Amino acid sequence: DIGGCIDPAMEILNDIAHKPIPDELQKELFNYCLKSFTSRIFKGWDRHFGMLDLAAVLAKDSAEASQVHSHLDQVKPSGQSWDWDFKNAQLIRVKLINKTEGEESANLFLEKNITNPDFRKKVIENAIAKKDYSKAINLAEAGIKFDDRNSPGLADDWRDYLLKVSVIQNDTEQILKYARHLFIRGNRVKKPYFDLIKKHTRPENWEIALAAIIKDISADNRWDGNPLIADLYIWEEQWEKLFDFVKSNISLDKLETYEKHLMNDYADEISDLYQLAIFKYMENNISRDHYQNACRYLRRMIKMGARVKANYVIQELRKLYPKRKALMEELLKV
């Protein structure tokens, strides 16, 4: 509740700071921001650095800018891989430099502190915008070396920039290299990378390339069933292979996920698999919630036109688990 009051109060102060205000009010609010930061009354909340951010917005001359810089100087790097306080102080500082010293000075500060990922992104984007692709590539490659071990998500951000430059330069080899890596190993939306791979692979080589991708996914990803492979089959409309994937390790969730893609060609087989999956599911799941879930899939079978098969499952469950009173009650509702 207290936080709910402070947030809109901060928004009000931020609105005031960005408007033309009398010198007396500007000075009062500027001093309040510095005092709040020094006394650490918001330490542990975003508002702690929010106060310095406001002070940077309010600073109207070099003397006040120097005061903000002095407070920022108090924030030292912790040596941790993700030093939120220090990186936040750097972000405030570069905004202040840009405001008081100009864009060129701000860009120099960005480049001197390139290990800050926000700064690296900004410098790379500036280089791409200026068509200085060599600089963008060097910065992104250095970022990969810096972050690959401890921050693989950031390293993939740098690969994304390399992919972007490769697309601009129409460098097929590099496009395939980075799109393939990000598709198989990156933790991000997969389809755009797949589309790039297919677009830049010769049609006569596509089947071989696709088989190699599937092989690499199988080797690289250990989670059950490799749903990324199933996505490939869907995108390529390889329904027989998708059906083989679904029945290779039957589960109710998997059937529900892929059913819509297979009903046209495999409706009868899908209802058979639902039968098997429900029996398998009921072996070790013995709470009412589980029974209700099983009955939900029975209703799904009925909806797809497999009433006879659903009735058979109900009859067998009654024979197999007559002492499960909650199950008997739920089956009556189907």
Side-chain angles (χ1 to χ4, degrees):
D1 290 341
I2 293 172
C5 296
I6 294 175
D7 286 337
M10 287 294 294
E11 290 176 11
I12 291 170
L13 294 181
N14 189 62
D15 287 344
I16 293 171
H18 282 85
K19 293 179 187 240
I21 54 175
D23 289 345
E24 184 179 351
L25 178 57
Q26 179 271 339
K27 193 69 175 176
E28 179 184 353
L29 184 52
F30 179 79
N31 289 335
Y32 169 76
C33 290
L34 296 184
K35 181 180 177 182
S36 297
F37 184 82
T38 302
S39 60
R40 300 163 64 90
I41 60 174
F42 296 119
K43 182 64 178 173
W45 300 75
D46 291 347
R47 299 122 192 171
H48 180 58
F49 281 94
M51 285 296 157
L52 273 190
D53 201 17
L54 275 178
V57 172
L58 288 158
K60 69 179 190 302
D61 52 38
S62 58
E64 289 185 344
S66 180
Q67 285 183 268
V68 179
H69 280 301
S70 178
H71 282 73
L72 289 168
D73 290 340
Q74 299 171 26
V75 185
K76 306 297 183 183
S78 68
Q80 300 297 316
S81 59
W82 180 252
D83 190 348
W84 190 90
D85 283 0
F86 187 67
K87 287 180 171 61
N88 208 20
Q90 287 181 315
L91 288 171
I92 295 169
R93 196 187 295 276
V94 75
K95 285 195 286 186
L96 184 61
I97 292 171
N98 189 62
K99 175 183 176 180
T100 58
E101 301 175 37
E103 185 177 355
E104 185 175 343
S105 295
N107 287 336
L108 285 173
F109 181 79
L110 291 175
E111 299 205 22
K112 286 179 182 178
N113 296 275
I114 202 69
T115 55
N116 182 318
D118 292 316
F119 291 0
R120 188 184 297 274
K121 289 177 183 178
K122 183 65 175 174
V123 176
I124 290 173
E125 288 166 4
N126 286 343
I128 292 173
K130 294 175 181 178
K131 299 184 178 181
D132 189 348
Y133 302 126
S134 177
K135 181 177 181 178
I137 289 169
N138 289 336
L139 287 167
E141 288 177 342
I144 293 172
K145 291 179 182 178
F146 187 80
D147 291 311
D148 215 13
R149 179 183 293 272
N150 296 318
S151 301
L154 269 178
D156 281 346
D157 286 343
W158 313 135
R159 290 185 178 93
D160 252 327
Y161 282 117
L162 289 171
L163 177 58
K164 182 176 182 178
V165 171
S166 300
V167 170
I168 292 171
Q169 297 181 322
N170 198 29
D171 186 334
T172 299
E173 182 179 348
Q174 294 298 97
I175 291 171
L176 291 174
K177 173 184 174 181
Y178 292 113
R180 204 173 190 281
H181 177 99
L182 291 164
F183 177 70
I184 294 172
R185 298 178 179 86
N187 185 21
R188 48 200 67 208
V189 177
K190 303 289 190 177
K191 187 62 162 58
Y193 302 112
F194 173 79
D195 291 341
L196 272 174
I197 294 167
K198 188 168 185 178
K199 178 180 177 181
H200 291 275
T201 301
R202 291 181 179 276
E204 63 270 22
N205 297 332
W206 178 237
E207 288 303 319
I208 295 172
L210 185 61
I213 290 170
I214 291 171
K215 181 179 179 181
D216 286 351
I217 293 171
S218 299
D220 194 69
N221 297 294
R222 307 299 182 193
W223 70 85
D224 179 50
N226 282 325
L228 183 55
I229 294 176
D231 288 339
L232 284 173
Y233 294 148
I234 292 167
W235 297 333
E236 290 295 289
E237 298 184 0
Q238 295 183 355
W239 308 126
E240 184 177 356
K241 290 183 178 180
L242 179 63
F243 180 65
D244 289 340
F245 166 84
V246 170
K247 70 180 182 181
S248 65
N249 187 10
I250 302 167
S251 73
L252 291 171
D253 288 343
K254 186 188 285 187
L255 284 166
E256 185 174 9
T257 299
Y258 301 111
E259 165 198 310
K260 60 181 176 289
H261 300 291
L262 296 169
M263 286 300 292
N264 284 341
D265 299 313
Y266 298 96
D268 196 48
E269 291 90 340
I270 290 295
S271 60
D272 288 339
L273 293 179
Y274 266 120
Q275 282 185 314
L276 295 174
I278 292 170
F279 286 131
K280 180 180 176 182
Y281 178 79
M282 293 303 299
E283 289 175 2
N284 299 310
N285 294 303
I286 54 173
S287 70
R288 186 179 289 272
D289 286 347
H290 291 121
Y291 303 154
Q292 289 173 341
N293 194 41
C295 289
R296 180 171 72 84
Y297 285 106
L298 285 167
R299 294 186 187 94
R300 195 174 189 89
M301 289 177 65
I302 294 168
K303 188 175 181 180
M304 67 173 65
R307 161 64 80 172
V308 173
K309 293 178 183 179
N311 287 343
Y312 171 76
V313 175
I314 293 169
Q315 290 169 8
E316 290 301 305
L317 291 177
R318 285 174 176 156
K319 292 176 186 177
L320 288 167
Y321 309 110
K323 294 183 179 181
R324 296 187 187 180
K325 183 179 177 182
L327 174 59
M328 299 301 109
E329 292 172 355
E330 294 301 325
L331 290 173
L332 288 172
K333 301 175 185 177
V334 178

